[in-house]
Amino acid sequence: MKNQITSALSDFFFEYETPRQVLVRNRRVGVVCRLIQLGVLVYIIGWVFIYEKGYQSTDTAISSVFTKMKGVGYTNDSGGERVWDVADYVFPSQGDSSFVVMTNYIMTEGQSMGTCPELPGKHDCSTDADCEGGSFKRTGNGEMTGVCVKRTKTCEVLAWCPVEDDREVPDPPLLLSAENYTLFIKNSVTFPAFDVSRSNLVEDIDSNYISRCLYHPDNAPLCPIFKLGDIIKLSDLDFQTIAKVGGAIGIVVDWTCNFDVDVKHCKPEYTFHGLYGSKEGASVGYNFRFARHYMEDKIQKRTLLKVFGIRFDIIVHSLARKFDIIPTLTAIGSGVGIFGVATVVCDLVLLYLLPKREFYKNMKFKYTDTQVQQDSESVGVDTNVYYTLEENAKQAQGKDQSKDPDSEAGSTETDVSKK
Amino acid sequence: MKNQITSALSDFFFEYETPRQVLVRNRRVGVVCRLIQLGVLVYIIGWVFIYEKGYQSTDTAISSVFTKMKGVGYTNDSGGERVWDVADYVFPSQGDSSFVVMTNYIMTEGQSMGTCPELPGKHDCSTDADCEGGSFKRTGNGEMTGVCVKRTKTCEVLAWCPVEDDREVPDPPLLLSAENYTLFIKNSVTFPAFDVSRSNLVEDIDSNYISRCLYHPDNAPLCPIFKLGDIIKLSDLDFQTIAKVGGAIGIVVDWTCNFDVDVKHCKPEYTFHGLYGSKEGASVGYNFRFARHYMEDKIQKRTLLKVFGIRFDIIVHSLARKFDIIPTLTAIGSGVGIFGVATVVCDLVLLYLLPKREFYKNMKFKYTDTQVQQDSESVGVDTNVYYTLEENAKQAQGKDQSKDPDSEAGSTETDVSKK
Amino acid sequence: MKNQITSALSDFFFEYETPRQVLVRNRRVGVVCRLIQLGVLVYIIGWVFIYEKGYQSTDTAISSVFTKMKGVGYTNDSGGERVWDVADYVFPSQGDSSFVVMTNYIMTEGQSMGTCPELPGKHDCSTDADCEGGSFKRTGNGEMTGVCVKRTKTCEVLAWCPVEDDREVPDPPLLLSAENYTLFIKNSVTFPAFDVSRSNLVEDIDSNYISRCLYHPDNAPLCPIFKLGDIIKLSDLDFQTIAKVGGAIGIVVDWTCNFDVDVKHCKPEYTFHGLYGSKEGASVGYNFRFARHYMEDKIQKRTLLKVFGIRFDIIVHSLARKFDIIPTLTAIGSGVGIFGVATVVCDLVLLYLLPKREFYKNMKFKYTDTQVQQDSESVGVDTNVYYTLEENAKQAQGKDQSKDPDSEAGSTETDVSKK
């Protein structure tokens, strides 16, 4: 028993199986097949490996963004001269990756809780019956008291009074100076699969450079300080329009990194594009309402700001690649499979399209004779003496066929030619 | 030399190798193997290609979300009638993808810095010794002064006084009207790999439609305006409960797109679900504290709001697919590999399970004689005349074996059977 | 016709093709090839399947985070004793995944719109000519009036006056007590591909446990309550330094889950690391400006806070795995392909490196004679009489070669040699 296992093991280890092959010397088939195989090889090496870098595994980063605006705005309206600094025009103030820079506004000062007529157009009326007391309108400013104010021909509401009049948006925008504000972006990314952390303040960017640089797509592509006017221009938008009604801009920080080369080549790229399809007109502009509450003479009051502004979304898009044995071998293994497809295609040409297909079929295939086999199966004799059709024919022809070197190559036609 | 290379090259290009195969005519093996191969084929075509769309590469989007609430709330408590508009009940106000709609609150007006007794339950005491002066309690409201206030039997603290009493949450919630507020979502997605940008205001959604539509899962699945009550209902939550203690709801905007068809079929789907397992009870509710600071008679004061509200997280989930040659060929190549596995399985059946396995083994394998080979290796003669074991046996038996049509098929057993 | 199709179909279904193979009995080749194949097998099973879990498909989660700070701070500066509670020191207040805890500040109280001299260093001057009226400086505080203030030797600006003096940052930081604040994190994740939702308040974490636990990497790794001082320590940062100038810390909640085992084993892991490379010095610190507006004697005033703080980014990193038939079969299929590569390598050894390579070549390959084939092609006779080298040789040598075991090894050169 032990001997048998040893022998089986030694058989297994000392034997090696390799498929037998026909070497077809045929120019047409040869060239066609080599070209197909070359195509597959070029595809695997050129496309999968070099172009798509199929030998690398990929990872996306976890990232964190901090932003800081700089610059001062100036307005001179009925309320007198005013300057606006960062604490006034950035919402929210703490430097989020998504924030709004106010460029225009409608300010309603000194609102207090009370009753006053609605804005014309919001809820017009001719008699009190038109104003159902206690009801709301979703787009209205408050709760209707049931009174129709004759002077304005609108319903009276309980609301922060006076109600905001936003029918006319200041044009030109009040804070056109926003064009000169600058935005500073700090972004750090970590690729957990490769254990690499990077900051957008890469090797060459020191505090000295930051203090004087300004982003330019060609001249200073790594400077993390952006002029607002430049961002709008690079997004193909018009500053005056977007400053008036507001808009949203995505700043994409693209980290496409190859960690097979030195990590210092992993640098961010900045691109800019308008969001929310603001050009299509379905829903243009960007605004929100913001209130500052205060007490005056023991009465709670508020200043309501309808803020039109540019919303910036800093969007980090990351894709790092590094050599990895698994995708490499998967690509190779699957490439070998496609090679197999190439062989199948060539075989189809060889066996079905060529004039001498019968010859090649005989070269390639060895048949077990169905007839004889079936017979022997039916009589239940498990003998190993099987003859192929051709062999039987040859036997009938006599012993001179004995030197036939390869019975697969010998076909009926052969016999005929020898006669 | 040049000739040799030319000849090798022409050999390479004009030759084509194809594996030789045995064509086994056996019903059982044939059917079994064809079925296995059919299974593999159905798996590859049906499952990998059609069901899982393995011929496509995938990409996730970078996205940006803007939200806008509309609606007016109304309360009538001890402080008198009040209306609440967007600037009052949405935190933060600038339309983030994550925001809170206040539905209930505990307002503590007119707090100023000073000393006052702690809330009963926060730091009870009977004598001053129970209140260590200068120490803090993590859940307390301020710094202990070391005095035990007899009236309340709690320690005195330096804090914003009077301290907030949040032991009782208003029930029913003060802003039940929040049910009728509406939420408008603007969402834009960009699939960088396919260079496609989409907005949730798709082709059919124009400003006219938006001005009058309201989201309904069946009737208006693309309307980007949602009634808060509907959202809560679709999340399987009870509005009154969640409005009282607060809660968190995720609004998932699902972009599952197939860019092999027209891009206009790439539309968002909205689903709603409660977050933070608020039903399990480990940590129910959602609240935060918010202060409005003001000056009164040169003294800094603040109004503290403990806000209970519904927190909405707009979560964009995106997956786009498009035909790509690489996953297609990888799937095919790996499918060919699995076909190879099918062949291996069939071979095992053929060679180890069938009654006539020996016959098939002889058909499939050609043996090189270890014995003879070793001999010739030892004398160092690289001759091409090798005999297999069987052949030697045949030689010993005489010339009548000469008509053996296929020397590979001749095995020792054959010879034996012929004796 | 119908017969033909039936016959072709039955041929197809009852026939089975299996490649013919040479079984090479050679210790060296056998061992080499078995070792290569073993290596491939170990790689596929050990590495792809067990180590990298190649039989699983992966999914990332959509997640939502809510945070809540607890704790009271205390300062005693020129303005007197003060306590700071959550509503005062957290920005923003509503419990976002990204927020700032104030640890130090420069407060400028009672600013109102007016003219005052710039801060020394911001815009120095000696005469009015140095101060261009109406112009701005990006880093300045306001609009220049064109006057040089002799007392301070700086330009006069229209700004919120008095301008903030941030030349000296309070040291030690005013709110060192922040070290004892605690942070509570609620995080819920949903893996859409596997339809699994999890909360970081996993099975064992009930409200009782939460009320008394404190995160510790070893003793309480699942407690969702973190002491700020611990977080800083675990991020390898110094609390006093970061509290003074500010800093950013990422709290990574890592959900690496295997859904082939019970879902209750899917638990979060918390790690902490400093962001923005604050150690490298290019851009240290974290601060922002924040204003509280109020009215005093009908004049709009504000309190400006330059907030230095620790910014926390709760970053959810998720990767779930589950058995899936497609990656399994893709891995197997591609493994079979790599097995094919192993065979190719062994064949190269067999056919080009071994001394008896010619023998093995003859065993493996069957040649079709180009010469004869070409001839017969030219005369248009499609005859199948081809002779291989050996066969010709055998013919020349006489009938005793008839038992030549391997007839496939013949070539054109044989024919030539016979002439």
Side-chain angles (χ1 to χ4, degrees):
Chain A
M1 183 66 200
K2 205 183 151 192
N3 260 349
Q4 272 179 319
I5 293 172
T6 315
S7 136
L9 270 180
S10 83
D11 269 16
F12 177 75
F13 272 107
F14 297 155
E15 272 179 22
Y16 161 67
E17 298 159 22
T18 180
R20 298 178 67 182
Q21 301 198 300
V22 189
L23 214 66
V24 177
R25 300 205 187 199
N26 180 305
R27 286 185 185 228
R28 273 181 285 176
V29 179
V31 167
V32 166
C33 289
R34 291 305 179 196
L35 283 184
I36 293 179
Q37 287 177 347
L38 205 72
V40 171
L41 207 71
V42 164
Y43 159 76
I44 293 170
I45 292 177
W47 187 261
V48 178
F49 275 83
I50 296 174
Y51 186 78
E52 293 278 344
K53 299 199 171 50
Y55 57 91
Q56 294 179 319
S57 66
T58 61
D59 189 29
T60 55
I62 51 183
S63 93
S64 172
V65 170
F66 164 59
T67 57
K68 192 166 199 172
M69 293 293 304
K70 278 234 163 91
V72 183
Y74 168 87
T75 57
N76 189 358
D77 58 6
S78 54
E81 284 192 314
R82 253 197 89 134
V83 297
W84 299 79
D85 64 8
V86 174
D88 294 337
Y89 66 70
V90 177
F91 304 86
S93 49
Q94 76 267 13
D96 256 7
S97 66
S98 172
F99 62 96
V100 180
V101 174
M102 178 163 73
T103 53
N104 205 2
Y105 61 89
I106 294 167
M107 198 188 279
T108 315
E109 291 182 288
Q111 285 187 324
S112 61
M113 200 51 65
T115 57
C116 49
E118 257 289 9
L119 207 63
K122 285 267 183 189
H123 215 140
D124 296 340
C125 64
S126 47
T127 66
D128 287 0
D130 294 339
C131 305
E132 194 193 338
S135 78
F136 294 89
K137 214 188 159 186
R138 186 172 68 87
T139 53
N141 283 307
E143 190 200 36
M144 281 188 269
T145 57
V147 176
C148 183
V149 181
K150 294 208 174 107
R151 186 175 43 87
T152 59
K153 300 212 164 171
T154 55
C155 296
E156 193 190 57
V157 286
L158 171 71
W160 288 100
C161 286
V163 298
E164 177 194 79
D165 181 359
D166 62 352
R167 286 171 299 173
E168 217 166 284
V169 178
D171 193 9
L174 297 166
L175 282 159
L176 260 181
S177 51
E179 199 166 356
N180 293 316
Y181 299 167
T182 57
L183 164 63
F184 171 49
I185 298 177
K186 265 199 216 178
N187 173 220
S188 93
V189 289
T190 301
F191 294 95
F194 305 135
D195 200 19
V196 173
S197 286
R198 294 288 289 167
S199 157
N200 69 329
L201 310 175
V202 292
E203 282 75 10
D204 307 334
I205 314 296
D206 53 17
S207 38
N208 182 32
Y209 180 68
I210 287 177
S211 67
R212 54 186 175 75
C213 79
L214 191 66
Y215 175 83
H216 185 278
D218 301 321
N219 304 334
L222 289 173
C223 177
I225 294 173
F226 305 85
K227 210 182 121 193
L228 248 59
D230 292 348
I231 294 176
I232 311 290
K233 219 176 282 164
L234 289 165
S235 312
D236 286 330
L237 295 167
D238 175 54
F239 189 82
Q240 183 130 1
T241 313
I242 207 171
K244 187 189 158 201
V245 295
I249 286 177
I251 302 181
V252 178
V253 186
D254 195 337
W255 292 91
T256 304
C257 290
N258 182 356
F259 289 140
D260 288 338
V261 298
D262 196 297
V263 80
K264 78 175 179 214
H265 294 111
C266 176
K267 290 173 181 175
E269 252 179 70
Y270 304 94
T271 53
F272 312 88
H273 53 93
L275 298 172
Y276 310 131
S278 54
K279 284 169 183 170
E280 287 155 350
S283 181
V284 293
Y286 181 94
N287 63 72
F288 64 91
R289 279 181 188 82
F290 176 77
R292 285 175 187 151
H293 290 257
Y294 59 91
M295 298 295 269
E296 202 174 47
D297 305 332
K298 310 278 178 194
I299 295 166
Q300 206 183 347
K301 293 196 167 180
R302 71 174 196 184
T303 298
L304 182 67
L305 274 166
K306 179 166 184 176
V307 176
F308 299 87
I310 307 170
R311 176 173 157 151
F312 292 97
D313 277 11
I314 318 290
I315 300 166
V316 179
H317 181 241
S318 59
L319 188 69
R321 299 172 158 279
K322 198 176 187 179
F323 171 78
D324 190 357
I325 192 72
I326 292 202
T328 308
L329 287 179
T330 303
I332 291 177
S334 133
V336 170
I338 300 169
F339 247 97
V341 174
T343 299
V344 167
V345 170
C346 290
D347 277 5
L348 289 179
V349 170
L350 191 74
L351 302 175
Y352 294 99
L353 297 182
L354 283 193
K356 292 186 291 169
R357 48 188 177 266
E358 287 303 324
F359 168 67
Y360 291 117
K361 263 188 203 165
N362 285 331
M363 295 289 278
K364 185 176 168 67
F365 293 111
K366 180 161 86 176
Y367 300 89
T368 65
D369 185 1
T370 337
Q371 200 61 44
V372 176
Q373 190 184 325
Q374 237 84 316
D375 289 352
S376 58
E377 264 178 30
S378 60
V379 296
V381 179
D382 193 8
T383 166
N384 277 329
V385 186
Y386 295 102
Y387 299 97
T388 62
L389 266 175
E390 288 79 12
E391 288 149 25
N392 290 333
K394 280 179 263 159
Q395 277 185 315
Q397 283 164 22
K399 305 284 180 198
D400 60 317
Q401 289 296 328
S402 63
K403 60 199 100 84
D404 184 357
D406 189 16
S407 56
E408 293 98 335
S411 77
T412 316
E413 290 159 64
T414 316
D415 301 358
V416 167
S417 70
K418 278 187 205 156
K419 277 168 193 168
Chain B
M1 183 64 200
K2 203 182 153 193
N3 260 350
Q4 271 179 318
I5 293 172
T6 316
S7 139
L9 271 180
S10 82
D11 270 15
F12 178 76
F13 272 107
F14 296 157
E15 272 178 21
Y16 160 67
E17 299 158 22
T18 179
R20 298 177 68 184
Q21 302 198 298
V22 189
L23 215 66
V24 177
R25 299 201 188 202
N26 180 306
R27 283 182 186 230
R28 273 181 284 175
V29 179
V31 167
V32 166
C33 289
R34 291 305 180 197
L35 284 184
I36 293 180
Q37 287 176 348
L38 205 72
V40 172
L41 208 70
V42 164
Y43 158 77
I44 293 170
I45 292 178
W47 186 260
V48 178
F49 275 84
I50 296 174
Y51 186 79
E52 293 279 344
K53 299 198 170 51
Y55 57 90
Q56 294 179 319
S57 66
T58 61
D59 190 28
T60 54
I62 50 184
S63 92
S64 172
V65 170
F66 164 60
T67 57
K68 193 165 198 172
M69 293 294 303
K70 277 233 164 92
V72 182
Y74 168 86
T75 58
N76 189 358
D77 58 5
S78 54
E81 285 192 311
R82 253 197 88 133
V83 297
W84 299 78
D85 64 8
V86 174
D88 293 339
Y89 66 70
V90 178
F91 304 85
S93 50
Q94 77 267 12
D96 256 8
S97 66
S98 172
F99 63 96
V100 180
V101 174
M102 179 162 74
T103 53
N104 205 1
Y105 60 89
I106 295 166
M107 199 188 279
T108 315
E109 291 182 289
Q111 285 188 323
S112 61
M113 200 50 68
T115 58
C116 50
E118 255 289 10
L119 207 63
K122 286 268 183 189
H123 214 140
D124 297 339
C125 64
S126 46
T127 66
D128 287 1
D130 294 339
C131 306
E132 194 192 337
S135 79
F136 293 88
K137 214 186 158 187
R138 185 172 68 87
T139 53
N141 283 307
E143 192 201 35
M144 282 187 269
T145 57
V147 175
C148 183
V149 180
K150 289 199 179 116
R151 185 175 44 86
T152 60
K153 301 212 166 174
T154 55
C155 296
E156 193 191 56
V157 285
L158 171 71
W160 288 100
C161 286
V163 297
E164 177 194 78
D165 181 359
D166 62 351
R167 286 170 299 174
E168 218 167 282
V169 178
D171 192 10
L174 297 167
L175 282 158
L176 261 180
S177 51
E179 198 167 355
N180 294 315
Y181 299 167
T182 57
L183 163 64
F184 171 48
I185 298 177
K186 265 198 215 178
N187 173 219
S188 93
V189 289
T190 300
F191 294 95
F194 305 135
D195 200 18
V196 174
S197 287
R198 295 287 288 167
S199 158
N200 69 330
L201 311 175
V202 292
E203 282 75 9
D204 308 334
I205 314 296
D206 53 17
S207 38
N208 182 32
Y209 180 68
I210 287 178
S211 68
R212 56 186 174 74
C213 78
L214 192 64
Y215 174 84
H216 186 278
D218 302 319
N219 305 334
L222 289 172
C223 177
I225 293 174
F226 305 84
K227 209 182 123 195
L228 248 59
D230 293 348
I231 294 177
I232 311 291
K233 220 176 283 165
L234 289 165
S235 312
D236 285 330
L237 295 168
D238 174 56
F239 189 82
Q240 184 131 0
T241 313
I242 207 172
K244 187 190 157 200
V245 295
I249 286 176
I251 302 181
V252 178
V253 187
D254 195 337
W255 292 90
T256 304
C257 291
N258 182 356
F259 289 141
D260 288 338
V261 298
D262 196 300
V263 80
K264 80 175 178 216
H265 294 111
C266 176
K267 289 172 181 175
E269 251 179 70
Y270 304 94
T271 54
F272 312 88
H273 53 93
L275 298 173
Y276 309 130
S278 54
K279 284 169 184 171
E280 287 155 350
S283 181
V284 293
Y286 180 94
N287 63 73
F288 64 92
R289 280 180 188 81
F290 176 76
R292 286 175 187 151
H293 290 257
Y294 59 92
M295 298 295 269
E296 201 173 48
D297 305 332
K298 309 279 177 195
I299 295 166
Q300 207 183 346
K301 294 195 167 181
R302 72 174 195 182
T303 298
L304 182 67
L305 275 166
K306 179 166 183 174
V307 176
F308 299 86
I310 307 171
R311 175 172 157 153
F312 292 98
D313 277 10
I314 319 289
I315 300 166
V316 178
H317 181 241
S318 59
L319 186 70
R321 299 172 157 280
K322 197 176 188 180
F323 171 78
D324 190 357
I325 191 73
I326 292 203
T328 308
L329 287 179
T330 302
I332 291 176
S334 133
V336 170
I338 300 169
F339 247 96
V341 174
T343 299
V344 167
V345 170
C346 290
D347 276 5
L348 290 180
V349 171
L350 192 74
L351 302 175
Y352 294 99
L353 297 183
L354 283 191
K356 292 187 291 170
R357 48 186 178 268
E358 286 304 323
F359 168 68
Y360 291 118
K361 262 188 204 166
N362 285 331
M363 295 289 279
K364 185 177 168 69
F365 293 111
K366 180 161 86 176
Y367 300 88
T368 65
D369 184 2
T370 337
Q371 199 58 47
V372 177
Q373 189 184 325
Q374 237 83 317
D375 288 353
S376 58
E377 263 181 29
S378 60
V379 295
V381 178
D382 193 10
T383 166
N384 275 334
V385 184
Y386 295 101
Y387 300 95
T388 62
L389 262 176
E390 289 78 13
E391 289 148 24
N392 289 332
K394 282 178 260 161
Q395 278 186 318
Q397 283 164 21
K399 305 286 183 198
D400 63 314
Q401 290 293 330
S402 62
K403 62 193 100 81
D404 183 357
D406 188 16
S407 54
E408 294 98 336
S411 76
T412 317
E413 289 159 66
T414 315
D415 299 2
V416 167
S417 71
K418 277 187 206 155
K419 277 171 194 168
Chain C
M1 183 65 201
K2 203 182 154 193
N3 261 351
Q4 272 180 318
I5 292 172
T6 315
S7 137
L9 270 181
S10 82
D11 269 15
F12 177 76
F13 272 107
F14 297 156
E15 273 179 19
Y16 160 67
E17 297 159 22
T18 179
R20 299 177 66 183
Q21 301 198 299
V22 189
L23 214 66
V24 177
R25 298 202 190 200
N26 179 304
R27 285 184 185 228
R28 274 182 285 176
V29 179
V31 168
V32 166
C33 289
R34 291 305 178 195
L35 284 184
I36 293 180
Q37 287 176 347
L38 205 73
V40 171
L41 208 70
V42 164
Y43 158 76
I44 293 170
I45 292 177
W47 186 260
V48 177
F49 275 84
I50 296 174
Y51 186 80
E52 294 277 345
K53 300 198 170 49
Y55 57 89
Q56 294 179 318
S57 67
T58 61
D59 189 29
T60 55
I62 51 184
S63 92
S64 171
V65 171
F66 163 59
T67 57
K68 193 166 198 171
M69 293 294 303
K70 276 235 164 90
V72 183
Y74 168 86
T75 57
N76 188 358
D77 59 5
S78 53
E81 284 192 312
R82 254 198 87 135
V83 297
W84 299 79
D85 64 8
V86 173
D88 293 338
Y89 65 70
V90 177
F91 304 86
S93 50
Q94 77 267 10
D96 256 8
S97 66
S98 172
F99 63 97
V100 180
V101 173
M102 178 162 74
T103 53
N104 205 2
Y105 60 89
I106 295 167
M107 198 188 278
T108 315
E109 292 182 287
Q111 285 188 325
S112 61
M113 200 50 67
T115 57
C116 49
E118 256 290 10
L119 207 62
K122 285 268 183 189
H123 215 142
D124 297 340
C125 63
S126 46
T127 66
D128 287 1
D130 294 339
C131 305
E132 195 192 337
S135 79
F136 295 87
K137 213 186 158 187
R138 186 172 67 87
T139 53
N141 282 307
E143 191 200 36
M144 282 189 267
T145 56
V147 175
C148 183
V149 180
K150 289 200 178 115
R151 184 174 46 86
T152 59
K153 299 212 165 173
T154 55
C155 295
E156 194 190 55
V157 286
L158 171 71
W160 288 100
C161 285
V163 297
E164 177 193 78
D165 180 0
D166 62 352
R167 286 170 299 172
E168 217 166 285
V169 178
D171 192 9
L174 297 167
L175 281 159
L176 261 180
S177 50
E179 199 166 355
N180 293 315
Y181 299 168
T182 58
L183 164 65
F184 171 48
I185 298 177
K186 265 199 216 178
N187 172 220
S188 93
V189 289
T190 301
F191 294 95
F194 305 134
D195 200 18
V196 174
S197 286
R198 294 287 287 166
S199 158
N200 69 330
L201 311 174
V202 291
E203 282 75 11
D204 308 333
I205 313 297
D206 53 17
S207 39
N208 182 33
Y209 180 68
I210 287 177
S211 68
R212 54 185 176 76
C213 78
L214 191 65
Y215 175 84
H216 186 279
D218 301 319
N219 305 333
L222 289 173
C223 178
I225 294 173
F226 304 85
K227 211 183 121 195
L228 248 58
D230 293 348
I231 294 177
I232 311 290
K233 220 177 282 164
L234 289 165
S235 311
D236 286 330
L237 295 168
D238 175 55
F239 188 82
Q240 183 131 2
T241 312
I242 208 172
K244 186 190 158 199
V245 296
I249 286 177
I251 302 181
V252 178
V253 186
D254 195 337
W255 293 90
T256 304
C257 291
N258 182 356
F259 289 141
D260 288 339
V261 298
D262 196 298
V263 79
K264 79 175 178 217
H265 294 111
C266 177
K267 288 173 182 175
E269 252 179 69
Y270 304 94
T271 54
F272 312 87
H273 53 93
L275 298 173
Y276 310 132
S278 55
K279 284 168 184 171
E280 286 155 351
S283 181
V284 294
Y286 181 94
N287 62 73
F288 64 92
R289 278 181 188 81
F290 175 76
R292 285 176 187 152
H293 291 257
Y294 58 92
M295 297 295 269
E296 203 173 46
D297 305 331
K298 310 277 176 197
I299 295 166
Q300 206 182 348
K301 292 196 168 181
R302 73 173 194 183
T303 299
L304 182 67
L305 274 166
K306 179 167 184 175
V307 176
F308 299 87
I310 307 172
R311 175 172 158 154
F312 292 97
D313 277 10
I314 318 289
I315 301 164
V316 178
H317 181 241
S318 58
L319 187 70
R321 299 171 158 280
K322 198 175 189 179
F323 172 78
D324 191 357
I325 191 74
I326 292 204
T328 308
L329 287 179
T330 302
I332 291 177
S334 135
V336 170
I338 300 170
F339 247 96
V341 174
T343 299
V344 167
V345 170
C346 291
D347 277 4
L348 290 180
V349 170
L350 192 74
L351 302 175
Y352 295 100
L353 296 183
L354 283 191
K356 291 187 292 170
R357 48 188 176 266
E358 286 303 324
F359 169 69
Y360 290 117
K361 264 188 202 163
N362 285 332
M363 295 289 279
K364 185 177 168 72
F365 294 111
K366 179 161 88 175
Y367 300 88
T368 66
D369 185 358
T370 337
Q371 199 59 47
V372 176
Q373 187 185 327
Q374 238 82 319
D375 289 353
S376 60
E377 263 179 30
S378 59
V379 297
V381 178
D382 193 6
T383 168
N384 276 329
V385 186
Y386 296 101
Y387 297 96
T388 62
L389 256 179
E390 286 78 12
E391 289 150 23
N392 291 330
K394 283 178 257 161
Q395 280 184 316
Q397 283 163 23
K399 305 287 181 199
D400 63 315
Q401 288 296 328
S402 61
K403 61 206 100 97
D404 183 355
D406 189 19
S407 53
E408 294 100 332
S411 79
T412 319
E413 290 154 66
T414 315
D415 300 6
V416 168
S417 70
K418 270 183 234 159
K419 276 168 195 169

